[in-house]
Amino acid sequence: MRGGWYIYGHSDSQGTFVVAALEPLEAMQLVATQMTTGRQETQDYYVASKWQNLPQRRIEKTLVDNNNKVLAASERTAALRERRTRELWYLNDVALTIHTFGWRGGPRGNNPPLGLAPGHFSFGFAKVIRDEFTGHLRFDLVHRQVYAHNKEGIISGAIRWHAYVGSLKRGWMYTVPISEVMLRMPEFTVPYKLGDRTFDPLKTIEQELAFTCARYRTGPGNGASVVTPATSCVKDSCQSLFAAINRLDAEVLNDPAIRRWMQDNSQSFDAQRFQRLDTLLKDVLDRMLIPLGYVPKGWRGDREYLAAHRQGGLLGNTIEALRSWKTMLPRRAEMELAQVMARHGATFWDIKGAMLGGEVPGIVPIAPGTLL
């Protein structure tokens, strides 16, 4: 990569520094290589164009300026991208991140059936920090990986970007198409203070993901976390989002004290922002998580079936998964959540790339696909 690399590792017993992971400097820098503008273009980007042309051996960073007017290509200069980035992203901002990857085909790869790569999905949290070496703003990204037991030895839980994507032992960026979507929306990503109550929607999501990851690490007492159509990285990440929304609804949105404060302070900035959050969360439920109004069995109660839902066999699990079909495949879940958030005014920072580090002969990156 032209911008250089961060190198992570440790010194061995002889004092030799052993490299364990790499991270391209430009991957997390807030310097966009392109931009989209306007609501319709944002929708078109996530529904159709994002995965059409995979950037190989380079990183493409798109400033998704969802709330701006549509601009001609000649107007989207580097100077404009820089200015709009400064206006939309600030030091210490925290974003919900949607992580997806595809797969690797070709003679040395493993071509998926019918050419459809299900890929992988996870949530994460990205904070805007000042780089200690360059002084420029960059993202510090930690994934919350809901990950079944696997031969690569990836453990479900909180994993920094370089340790997961850039690991020289198991990193995906060297062969597999990867994407990070940083989602910024003040109603969703900025903490609230309503009277004497404070709460942070992102912290609630993080706590639910931590619970899910812990269940995946232990295999819910059954010894193994397995993937089925009804239990997977994408299904159970989305289940954590569903659980977080239910918690916010029970503990905050329907709290009598908060409702009274809202009535007494209905014109305040936080009260109006809170009302928009309430509308947004209902839309996430109705349009993405439970589009048919059916709550999957594994999403009810204490979530006892996390990572080990074996009841009903393959057919039963498939039927159960189809009832919340928008969370069945990673690319579909990314697409649906981005669309809902965009309709409510979110902006995004979108990163994607494949074969970061150089060409690997015999490997062909395959974008994640979707059937529905």
Side-chain angles (χ1 to χ4, degrees):
M1 310 299 291
R2 289 178 296 178
W5 301 82
Y6 291 100
I7 300 173
Y8 299 87
H10 64 278
S11 297
D12 65 13
S13 57
Q14 283 75 45
T16 302
F17 187 79
V18 179
V19 178
L22 300 173
E23 179 183 314
L25 172 66
E26 61 197 85
M28 295 296 149
Q29 280 188 328
L30 271 75
V31 179
T33 59
Q34 63 180 34
M35 69 186 298
T36 67
T37 58
R39 295 287 173 93
Q40 188 57 55
E41 195 170 302
T42 296
Q43 297 288 329
D44 293 343
Y45 177 75
Y46 282 109
V47 171
S49 65
K50 171 175 175 173
W51 291 101
Q52 282 183 344
N53 298 304
L54 285 175
Q56 296 189 29
R57 300 180 294 283
R58 64 184 178 87
I59 295 169
E60 193 173 88
K61 294 179 289 184
T62 304
L63 174 63
V64 183
D65 198 357
N66 178 51
N67 299 318
N68 201 349
K69 64 180 181 180
V70 177
L71 300 173
S74 60
E75 297 180 84
R76 306 180 194 195
T77 62
L80 176 66
R81 295 196 300 267
E82 181 182 356
R83 177 172 66 81
R84 288 299 290 155
T85 298
R86 289 198 311 268
E87 292 170 350
L88 291 171
W89 294 92
Y90 295 86
L91 183 67
N92 296 322
D93 276 354
V94 179
L96 179 70
T97 301
I98 307 168
H99 165 72
T100 51
F101 69 58
W103 200 235
R104 46 179 173 255
R108 293 178 57 194
N110 184 13
N111 290 303
L114 305 176
L116 174 70
H120 174 68
F121 178 101
S122 74
F123 287 118
F125 301 88
K127 183 176 182 178
V128 179
I129 64 171
R130 193 168 299 281
D131 190 286
E132 60 183 312
F133 297 110
T134 68
H136 298 145
L137 295 183
R138 68 186 296 266
F139 287 109
D140 179 30
L141 173 55
V142 178
H143 290 137
R144 286 282 176 171
Q145 290 289 347
V146 175
Y147 221 96
H149 294 150
N150 58 91
K151 63 183 180 181
E152 287 85 10
I154 297 170
I155 298 173
S156 182
I159 310 175
R160 291 205 115 77
W161 193 88
H162 67 268
Y164 174 72
V165 178
S167 167
L168 295 179
K169 182 178 181 181
R170 59 180 70 90
W172 297 112
M173 73 177 185
Y174 306 104
T175 56
V176 171
I178 60 167
S179 165
E180 310 288 350
V181 180
M182 284 69 159
L183 183 159
R184 182 184 183 277
M185 184 177 180
E187 288 80 3
F188 192 67
T189 58
V190 177
Y192 286 77
K193 180 172 177 56
L194 304 177
D196 60 356
R197 286 287 305 275
T198 59
F199 72 96
D200 184 345
L202 287 188
K203 279 294 180 185
T204 304
I205 297 171
E206 185 177 17
Q207 289 165 1
E208 293 300 327
L209 284 166
F211 172 80
T212 299
C213 290
R215 294 293 298 268
Y216 262 74
R217 286 195 299 272
T218 61
N222 295 299
S225 297
V226 296
V227 173
T228 74
T231 59
S232 65
C233 59
V234 59
K235 274 289 180 185
D236 286 333
S237 291
C238 289
Q239 179 179 354
S240 298
L241 178 59
F242 177 81
I245 291 174
N246 281 345
R247 266 188 61 192
L248 286 169
D249 188 57
E251 298 175 7
V252 181
L253 300 176
N254 289 322
D255 184 291
I258 288 181
R259 287 296 179 190
R260 285 194 299 272
W261 186 90
M262 290 281 295
Q263 291 173 359
D264 295 339
N265 300 272
S266 60
Q267 299 306 309
S268 70
F269 173 75
D270 267 342
Q272 293 183 9
R273 190 164 68 96
F274 181 81
Q275 291 287 5
R276 293 193 294 269
L277 174 68
D278 194 2
T279 303
L280 166 67
L281 296 182
K282 287 183 172 64
D283 224 12
V284 172
L285 287 175
D286 295 341
R287 292 179 179 267
M288 178 197 174
L289 296 177
I290 49 172
L292 302 179
Y294 173 84
V295 179
K297 293 178 182 177
W299 293 20
R300 306 171 196 169
D302 62 0
R303 296 185 281 164
E304 62 180 308
Y305 295 126
L306 269 174
H309 189 160
R310 299 188 180 91
Q311 296 182 1
L314 178 60
L315 179 59
N317 284 331
T318 301
I319 293 173
E320 186 72 8
L322 285 170
R323 287 170 169 164
S324 55
W325 61 276
K326 291 185 177 182
T327 63
M328 192 171 177
L329 290 173
R331 181 172 171 180
R332 170 62 65 180
E334 176 200 66
M335 180 194 311
E336 295 293 339
L337 185 56
Q339 286 186 89
V340 173
M341 292 295 182
R343 278 192 287 269
H344 288 265
T347 56
F348 309 88
W349 185 269
D350 197 296
I351 302 170
K352 65 178 184 287
M355 288 188 164
L356 304 183
E359 183 177 1
V360 181
I363 294 292
V364 177
I366 301 175
T370 186
L371 287 170
L372 302 171

